[in-house]
């Protein structure tokens, strides 16, 4: 069976939740499609499909069959290029809509003044006044030019057997326009039936004007939702200074090749990802990590494109370039995240699927009820009420309620050094009640150091550490790297080793100088040595662990030759971050493969009371499952590599790293800064965003629940109030703008300061 592939297809012509829901339903029903996500904010459809059953071309055809435009994405366009194109399109859209709205408003105001130009005796005489003909001409201009898209898209939707917001606008204004034309061309028909002729030209024009103005404001507000993403893109310098043929030259960033020597002076932005080969400096990486303090960099350290060199000049060799760079990956991740859907969106989609047909039915029923009620001027009232129902009932706000909040929240998260993989992860994070923290590299620095050697009688410390390093040189475990680093820093020769084997989370062994050397914890060595030696090894390990250090035992053949004490210092921010999580009502658990005594020492320092120690990687997963079966919603926080199974099992996997780790691809949320305070920030932001989404949906639904009956004339019998279609159009336009504006408030959200948590 073919593996699913994913593609994001630009979709044009969508204007409301009904449009989005129709494209979504069509794609979901297309053979070969596993998952489809259509986003009104980004005007795109992200589809996971089986290439053995369908193809990108067929997906594009399926979208086009719904009446909306679709094109295959350009293969050579980067995420930054796509965002730039989208921003440019929204700017053009705003300018066009603004200009059309201004013209429509001017003509609409002229149409309102028009009836005052000539007396109404001509109407009573069965002739239309000259002002009506002028108003008709102005209305035709507005309908055919400013409002043309409404009618074209409505007709396209009808041809494809669907209805959307454009249908409501077109039917509403069209009915008013036809009624007015009949009154202008043959006013005698009304007079003959005892009804005073009346026209709605100014209403038609102003309805279109208000809707255009609302869309213009909406387009501008939409562009503001991606402000954080644009700021990231703008960080990439246009040129780089490199050394070619022993000469420094400035070249476009796109011309930099892997291995080029890049020269960066103080105050400049670093043009590409690179590794320092000459000099040292301090780099402002806040654009990646949210950390305002510059990070010291030395030879061998990596620097990232877009960050700022704050101190000395340095030379660095270019490493990852183009779409593989840290900045480009973050931009792509954010765009992908913003194109996804939060599960709460499904509620709006279900309503939108039937919304337009229901509204049209209500409008027809409104007309019938008014006609049946009879009375003076009933025809005019029936037309006014039914047109108002069609105009006020716009599903735009429902379509924008969730995706606008997702876009703003993911952008805000990136500014804080949090990469959230889309709406689903954003929504789930707010439901977390238990946070499970891996110890090494999460609560602690993750770069343990050797702090003591305990050699057995007859064995010197240099022999002890060299034997251990000979085995550990083949391992990538942090404790192993600490042993090798300690040995090399002291110039101690590391013997050759062969036949390396490892037991994950327990230890490793290899042949060294003709003997089998094993390095690991007491449980690992217990099965390899006689019982009395095992007991001695356990006692040695316990003695080291009592001081909060991790014991690494070393055995040659069947004899324990000593132990190495390793400490992994706790991060300065860990205790405060854990307190902040507890203040937010979260249960905090520390999970580690370390011994209970070592884990307990770190837990006391960090302020964690629930500790699970001595667990292997599979044991971590089992612990997550146990908590979930107990009814808890669990977040697992780890390094994204050794903890991958547990991260995958958790309801939310949160990887902590330096921003370019493969954890970006393996987690739901990535903390760009190695600081667990980001966990609380992510959960708090999720809760705030979910509140915003619910507010948006509430007001979108309430607007229609209240607005439609008002437009239908429910207050007329008691108070004589009947909603004017122009007022209805203004209310409809403002409903969409209000939803986007409410979402934009998330840009001002900031995490609680450390001072507020007592740190």
């Amino acid at each position: 069976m073919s593996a699913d592939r994913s593609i994001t297809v630009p979709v044009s012509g969508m204007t409301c939740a009904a449009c989005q829901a129709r494209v979504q339903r069509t794609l979901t029903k297309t053979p070969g499609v596993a998952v489809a996500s259509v986003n009104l904010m980004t005007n795109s459809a992200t589809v996971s499909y089986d290439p053995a059953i369908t193809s990108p071309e067929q997906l594009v055809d399926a979208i086009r069959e719904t009446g909306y435009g679709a094109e295959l994405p350009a293969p050579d366009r980067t995420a930054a290029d796509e965002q730039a194109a989208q921003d440019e399109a929204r700017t053009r859209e705003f300018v066009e809509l603004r200009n059309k709205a201004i013209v429509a408003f001017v003509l609409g105001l002229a149409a309102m003044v028009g009836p005052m130009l000539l007396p109404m005796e001509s109407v009573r005489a069965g002739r239309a006044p000259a002002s009506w003909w002028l108003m008709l001409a102005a209305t035709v201009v507005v309908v055919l030019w400013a409002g043309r898209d409404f009618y074209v898209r409505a007709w396209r939707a009808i041809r494809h057997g669907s209805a959307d917001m454009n249908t409501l606008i077109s039917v509403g204004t069209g009915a008013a326009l036809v009624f007015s034309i009949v009154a202008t061309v043959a006013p005698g028909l009304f007079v003959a039936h005892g009804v005073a002729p009346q026209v709605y030209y100014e209403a038609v024009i102003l309805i279109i004007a208000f809707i255009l103005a609302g869309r213009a404001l909406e387009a501008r507000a939409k562009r503001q939702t991606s402000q954080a993403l644009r700021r990231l893109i703008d960080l990439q310098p246009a040129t780089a200074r490199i050394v070619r043929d022993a000469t420094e030259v400035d070249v476009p960033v796109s011309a930099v090749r892997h291995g080029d020597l890049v020269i960066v002076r103080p105050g400049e932005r670093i043009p590409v990802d690179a590794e320092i080969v000459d000099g040292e400096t301090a780099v402002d990486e806040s654009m990646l990590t949210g950390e305002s303090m510059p990070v010291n960099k030395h030879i061998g350290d990596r620097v990232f494109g877009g960050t700022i060199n704050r101190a000395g000049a340095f030379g660095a060799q270019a490493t990852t370039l183009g779409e593989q760079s840290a900045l480009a990956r973050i931009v792509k991740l954010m765009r992908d995240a913003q194109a996804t859907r939060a599960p709460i969106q499904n509620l709006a989609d279900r309503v939108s699927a039937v919304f337009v047909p229901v509204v049209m039915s209500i409008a027809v029923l409104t007309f019938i009820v008014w006609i049946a009620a009879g009375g003076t001027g009933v025809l005019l009232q029936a037309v006014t009420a039914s047109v108002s129902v069609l105009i006020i009932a716009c599903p735009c706000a429902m379509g924008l309620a969730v995706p606008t909040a997702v876009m703003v929240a993911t952008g805000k998260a990136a500014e804080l050094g949090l990469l959230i993989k889309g709406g689903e992860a954003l929504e789930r994070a707010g439901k977390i009640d238990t946070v499970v923290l891996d110890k090494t590299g999460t609560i602690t620095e993750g770069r343990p150091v050797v702090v003591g050697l305990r050699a057995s009688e007859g064995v010197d410390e240099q022999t002890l550490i060299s034997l251990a390093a000979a085995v550990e040189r083949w391992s990538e475990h942090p404790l192993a790297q600490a042993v090798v680093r300690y040995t090399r820093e002291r110039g101690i020769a590391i013997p050759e080793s062969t036949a390396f084997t490892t037991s994950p989370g327990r230890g490793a062994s290899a042949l060294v100088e003709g003997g089998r050397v094993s390095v690991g914890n007491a449980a690992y060595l217990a099965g390899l040595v006689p019982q009395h030696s095992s007991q001695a090894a356990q006692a040695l390990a316990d003695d080291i662990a009592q001081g909060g250090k991790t014991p690494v035992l070393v055995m040659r053949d069947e004899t324990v030759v000593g132990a190495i004490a390793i400490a992994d210092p706790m991060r300065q921010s860990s205790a405060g971050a854990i307190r902040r999580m507890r203040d937010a009502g979260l249960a905090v658990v520390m999970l580690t493969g370390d011994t209970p005594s070592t884990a307990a020492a770190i837990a006391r320092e960090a302020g964690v009371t629930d500790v699970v120690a001595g667990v292997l990687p599979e044991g971590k997963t089992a612990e997550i499952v146990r908590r979930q079966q107990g009814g808890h919603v669990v977040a697992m926080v780890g390094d994204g590599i050794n903890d991958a199974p547990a991260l995958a099992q958790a309801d939310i996997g949160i990887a902590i790293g330096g921003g370019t780790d493969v954890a970006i691809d393996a987690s739901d949320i990535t903390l760009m800064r190695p600081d667990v305070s980001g966990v609380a920030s992510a959960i708090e932001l999720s809760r705030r965003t979910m509140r915003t989404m619910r507010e948006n949906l509430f007001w979108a639904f309430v607007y229609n629940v209240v607005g439609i009956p008002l437009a239908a004339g429910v207050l007329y019998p008691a108070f004589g109030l009947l909603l004017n279609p122009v007022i209805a159009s203004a209310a409809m336009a403002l409903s969409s703008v209000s939803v986007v504006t409410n979402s934009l408030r998330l840009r001002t959200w900031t995490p609680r300061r450390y001072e507020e948590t007592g740190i």
Side-chain angles (χ1 to χ4, degrees), residues 285-568:
E285 296 184 342
S286 58
M287 51 76 68
L288 283 176
T289 66
E291 174 57 66
S292 58
M293 292 296 294
V295 180
N296 292 326
K297 299 286 184 177
H298 309 279
I299 292 176
D301 289 339
R302 295 187 65 190
V303 292
F304 306 107
T307 58
I308 304 173
N309 180 26
R310 292 296 188 192
F314 65 86
Q317 277 192 325
T319 53
T320 50
L321 304 170
E323 286 296 275
Q324 297 306 311
S325 69
L327 181 60
R329 291 179 68 194
I330 292 171
V331 169
K332 184 178 186 306
L333 183 67
M334 284 184 63
R335 279 189 58 83
D336 291 346
Q338 291 177 347
T340 61
R341 297 155 53 84
I344 196 174
Q345 176 69 39
N346 295 333
L347 173 62
D349 288 348
R350 286 195 294 270
V351 174
S352 300
V354 297
F355 186 80
V356 175
V358 168
V359 169
M360 295 188 71
S361 300
I362 292 173
V364 172
L365 181 62
T366 298
F367 185 86
I368 294 172
V369 169
W370 273 97
I371 293 296
T376 304
V378 65
L379 180 60
L380 299 177
Q381 293 167 333
V383 171
T384 298
S386 56
V387 168
S388 295
V389 167
L390 291 170
I391 296 301
I392 202 169
C394 171
C396 290
M398 283 186 285
L400 296 170
V402 174
T404 53
V406 171
M407 287 191 71
V408 178
T410 51
K412 182 64 181 181
E415 292 178 356
L416 299 172
L418 311 171
L419 293 183
I420 301 178
K421 276 193 172 179
E424 186 174 356
L426 183 64
E427 181 172 337
R428 285 206 313 269
K431 301 175 182 177
I432 296 297
D433 59 34
T434 302
V435 178
V436 177
L437 301 169
D438 179 50
K439 178 182 76 68
T440 304
T442 302
I443 294 177
T444 63
E445 291 283 355
R447 195 175 186 271
V449 294
V450 175
V451 294
L453 301 175
R454 302 276 290 274
S456 300
E457 186 176 350
V459 180
D460 60 72
E461 291 183 351
Q462 183 169 322
T463 299
L464 171 66
I465 194 68
S466 65
L467 289 175
V471 177
E472 301 287 44
R473 68 190 299 178
W474 300 106
S475 174
E476 294 183 356
H477 193 281
L479 298 184
Q481 293 175 355
V483 170
V484 174
R485 187 168 55 251
Y486 179 90
T487 308
R488 287 175 174 166
E489 286 174 352
R490 281 152 184 77
I492 300 172
I494 300 177
E496 294 295 324
S497 58
T498 58
F500 174 81
T501 61
T502 183
S503 176
R506 294 163 62 88
S509 67
L511 292 176
V512 183
E513 298 177 338
R516 171 65 64 177
V517 176
S518 300
V519 182
N521 58 28
Y524 177 63
L525 267 61
L528 304 177
V529 298
Q531 184 175 3
H532 68 278
S533 297
S534 174
Q535 292 172 343
Q538 184 67 59
L540 179 60
D542 290 344
D543 185 45
I544 293 173
Q546 289 299 325
K549 302 174 181 64
T550 300
V552 175
L553 301 173
V554 183
M555 181 182 74
R556 181 165 52 189
D557 294 326
E558 293 187 353
T559 302
V560 176
V561 296
I564 303 169
I566 298 178
D568 183 9

Side-chain angles (χ1 to χ4, degrees), residues 69 100 148 152 162 182 215 231 300 441 456 458 495 501 529 543 590 678:
K100 288 181 175 180
R148 179 178 181 276
V152 170
S162 66
V182 172
R215 285 194 177 177
R231 280 202 294 264
S456 300
T501 61
V529 298
D543 185 45
M590 188 176 83

